[in-house]
Amino acid sequence: MTALFQQLPSVDKFLKTPEGEMLLTEFGHSAVVRELRQLLSEGREFIKQHQNLPYFFADHLSTLHYLQERLTQQNHVQIKSVHNLTGTVLHTNLGRALWAESAQQAALHAMKGNVALEYDLEEGKRSHRDNYISELLTQLTGAEAACIVNNNAAAVLLMLATFAKDKEVIISRGELIEIGGAFRIPDIMAQAGCKLVEVGTTNRTHLKDYRQAINENTAFLMKVHCSNYHISGFTASVSEQELVDLGREFDIPVITDLGSGALIDLSQYDLPNEPTVQEKVAQGVNLVSFSGDKLLGGTQAGIIVGKKEWIAQLQAHPLKRVLRCDKVILAGLEATLRLYLQPEKLIETLPTLYLLTQSIDVLQEKAEQLKACLANRLKDYHVEIEESFAQIGSGSQPMATIPSFAVTIAEKTEVKLTALLAIFKALEQPIIGRVEKGKIWLDLRSVADFKALLDTVEKL
């Protein structure tokens, strides 16, 4: 075993070889030495366990190639671009909304140089970073002003912390939702320092339930849009309009967590209906919060719109600085919102809406191309085209499905399917599908770049 240890190269001698000097030039002294020492440590451990040299120390060239590969791998970003064939368009685990081309360009310009983030070019003095977007949202929603934070949970937290600390917030028991990561509305309320007052039951809540719970310490009447689950059957709920009327009677404001944040009527595209921000503003809700990266189709952000005096207080709260967005997110969000100024072109300009509204004929044609490409490479598998049902995703209309087509891959043994899934995930741009009914389903509705997908399959 001692002889094997002696065959391991020394760090100094390796670095003085022409190949070692080449690595130093390419990757720098610190990185090469650190990785080589780690390699030697792994080699010693391998010798102890197997009484043999590992393959990467078989000869000088093997060591060079393996070390170069590891150093190169260090420079690869681990948040990889993937092909989403799950059938869920707004997939939370895969990054939700795709940015529009104009949003990408706006973000890139913000990254590359200085921008007038908090600077009024006309007045030549400091301004607020939310101003541009606030003006846009006023135009789009009819609200008086807007406040931007880093996600919708932060938006709810800021509203409650600003106006309801040490006070009570009345909410229907059926709206105490839990979102991804076991994050719950009651937890946000507790963090904001307000007291949760539940009214009604899980399936039925009436206006009288809110009325009976109101007292001198009530800060808000609150509505939460239950976009990530659905209760059917013997149910009853109270609308925002009814709550607004009740709130005016007692001089108590109403806030709504709308979640997905639709700015257009989706039913015009034969998609499941979703309440719009404009509807809630028109009904007189004091503050409405929603996401930027769900149905709005933009960057991750939490948006609050409402009365100017209320928004001003949110902007002045210390938490706002903690939760604010940077120049890149704000630039991307502004560019996305500007697309809504030309609503007739949204299908062409907004990737989320384009994916959701693709015709079934187009999806079938794509499925046929993908099947042909896969069938040539997966001769031991059964590759077919089947009707599928896609989803919007990210908690939007979970019970509603959208017709789609998928390429399905079947095999007699589960082991072979598992092996194929591993191959898909190991590709330079991994292919992510879903497993259902003993098959791999590759749903075409959620694919962002079909040509790139075919190029990836060519490399199988």
Side-chain angles (χ1 to χ4, degrees):
M1 191 180 295
T2 303
L4 291 173
F5 285 128
Q6 290 174 346
Q7 291 182 51
L8 297 176
S10 74
V11 173
D12 288 340
K13 286 184 178 179
F14 185 89
L15 295 182
K16 289 177 180 177
T17 64
E19 295 82 6
E21 290 178 352
M22 178 193 71
L23 291 180
L24 290 174
T25 300
E26 185 175 357
F27 298 102
H29 185 272
S30 297
V32 174
V33 170
R34 181 183 64 247
E35 204 59 38
L36 183 54
R37 285 175 176 165
Q38 178 62 32
L39 210 58
L40 287 166
S41 176
E42 293 173 15
R44 295 187 192 98
E45 192 60 36
F46 187 92
I47 291 170
K48 289 177 186 177
Q49 292 183 20
H50 304 283
Q51 289 77 53
N52 202 354
L53 280 173
Y55 74 90
F56 47 82
F57 281 127
D59 54 54
H60 181 70
L61 282 179
S62 297
T63 304
L64 172 70
H65 291 155
Y66 189 69
L67 184 58
Q68 187 173 32
E69 184 179 317
R70 286 178 53 147
L71 287 164
T72 301
Q73 188 64 33
Q74 287 183 353
N75 294 330
H76 290 172
V77 176
Q78 293 304 299
I79 300 180
K80 280 188 171 184
S81 173
V82 303
H83 295 291
N84 176 12
L85 286 101
T86 63
T88 301
V89 175
L90 296 172
H91 200 300
T92 299
N93 304 133
L94 301 181
R96 288 188 181 163
L98 307 173
W99 289 25
E101 181 65 31
S102 60
Q104 295 175 42
Q105 291 302 315
L108 184 61
H109 286 309
M111 291 178 203
K112 291 173 67 175
N114 296 116
V115 294
L117 179 64
E118 295 181 359
Y119 187 79
D120 188 319
L121 291 169
E122 291 185 7
E123 299 291 333
K125 61 183 181 181
R126 180 173 181 149
S127 65
H128 197 283
R129 66 175 58 200
D130 290 357
N131 279 358
Y132 298 123
I133 295 177
S134 183
E135 291 171 6
L136 264 175
L137 285 165
T138 296
Q139 185 176 352
L140 292 170
T141 69
E144 293 180 5
C147 172
I148 316 299
V149 290
N150 56 17
N151 61 33
N152 190 48
V156 175
L157 175 65
L158 181 60
M159 290 190 295
L160 295 173
T162 303
F163 298 110
K165 191 176 188 306
D166 299 324
K167 294 184 177 181
E168 296 180 358
V169 176
I170 303 174
I171 184 172
S172 168
R173 186 168 280 110
E175 296 173 8
L176 296 175
I177 64 169
E178 176 180 310
I179 57 178
F183 201 62
R184 301 174 174 181
I185 288 290
D187 296 335
I188 301 177
M189 289 192 176
Q191 193 65 39
C194 57
K195 181 182 177 182
L196 164 66
V197 178
E198 304 174 33
V199 296
T201 62
T202 303
N203 60 316
R204 291 179 69 82
T205 302
H206 305 280
L207 190 62
K208 65 180 180 180
D209 296 319
Y210 290 93
R211 181 183 293 275
Q212 291 169 0
I214 292 173
N215 61 46
E216 66 280 356
N217 201 37
T218 301
F220 282 133
L221 303 178
M222 184 173 182
K223 281 284 290 182
V224 176
H225 177 47
C226 302
S227 58
N228 65 350
Y229 78 100
H230 176 73
I231 298 176
S232 60
F234 188 55
T235 63
S237 62
V238 179
S239 69
E240 275 91 344
Q241 186 63 70
E242 292 174 289
L243 281 187
V244 167
D245 293 339
L246 180 64
R248 286 172 178 160
E249 183 181 336
F250 288 89
D251 195 25
I252 296 173
V254 176
I255 63 172
T256 292
D257 170 10
L258 204 51
S260 295
L263 289 181
I264 54 172
D265 177 11
L266 294 177
S267 64
Q268 65 182 300
Y269 304 106
D270 295 323
L271 292 170
N273 185 50
E274 186 82 7
T276 66
V277 177
Q278 293 92 324
E279 291 171 8
K280 305 309 171 187
V281 171
Q283 288 170 355
V285 176
N286 297 82
L287 294 172
V288 182
S289 74
F290 53 99
S291 294
D293 61 341
K294 292 187 180 180
L295 286 174
L296 194 147
T299 64
Q300 178 179 298
I303 303 168
I304 308 169
V305 297
K307 304 290 185 184
K308 186 176 292 186
E309 60 183 287
W310 289 74
I311 296 296
Q313 291 184 66
L314 292 174
Q315 299 285 19
H317 195 281
L319 264 182
K320 174 56 168 67
R321 186 174 182 86
V322 176
L323 302 172
R324 71 183 184 180
C325 298
D326 73 349
K327 63 177 183 177
V328 175
I329 293 296
L330 290 174
L333 180 59
E334 181 190 345
T336 302
L337 289 170
R338 290 196 177 280
L339 298 177
Y340 282 86
L341 297 175
Q342 299 176 330
E344 294 83 8
K345 295 187 175 183
L346 277 173
I347 288 181
E348 305 166 29
T349 57
L350 197 66
T352 294
L353 196 57
Y354 165 74
L355 293 178
L356 290 172
T357 58
Q358 292 175 97
S359 74
I360 201 70
D361 293 336
V362 167
L363 294 175
Q364 185 173 13
E365 183 180 333
K366 288 181 178 179
E368 289 168 355
Q369 292 181 58
L370 180 59
K371 178 192 173 183
C373 200
L374 283 168
N376 289 334
R377 289 160 179 78
L378 304 177
K379 298 188 184 298
D380 294 336
Y381 295 83
H382 302 291
V383 182
E384 301 292 343
I385 295 175
E386 297 189 46
E387 292 183 356
S388 181
F389 293 97
Q391 289 184 314
I392 295 176
S394 291
S396 300
Q397 298 286 353
M399 302 301 292
T401 56
I402 308 170
S404 185
F405 272 100
V407 174
T408 62
I409 306 170
E411 230 299 326
K412 292 179 181 178
T413 66
E414 186 178 326
V415 174
K416 291 195 73 172
L417 277 184
T418 303
L420 183 58
L421 283 171
I423 291 171
F424 283 163
K425 292 175 183 176
L427 291 166
E428 185 177 347
Q429 187 172 1
I431 294 173
I432 311 296
R434 69 178 190 265
V435 178
E436 193 176 283
K437 301 176 182 176
K439 303 175 184 179
I440 297 172
W441 291 67
L442 303 178
D443 193 303
L444 277 302
R445 185 168 291 281
S446 52
V447 178
D449 189 335
F450 182 67
K451 183 180 181 302
L453 171 64
L454 295 181
D455 290 343
T456 298
V457 172
E458 292 281 352
K459 299 172 185 175
L460 268 175

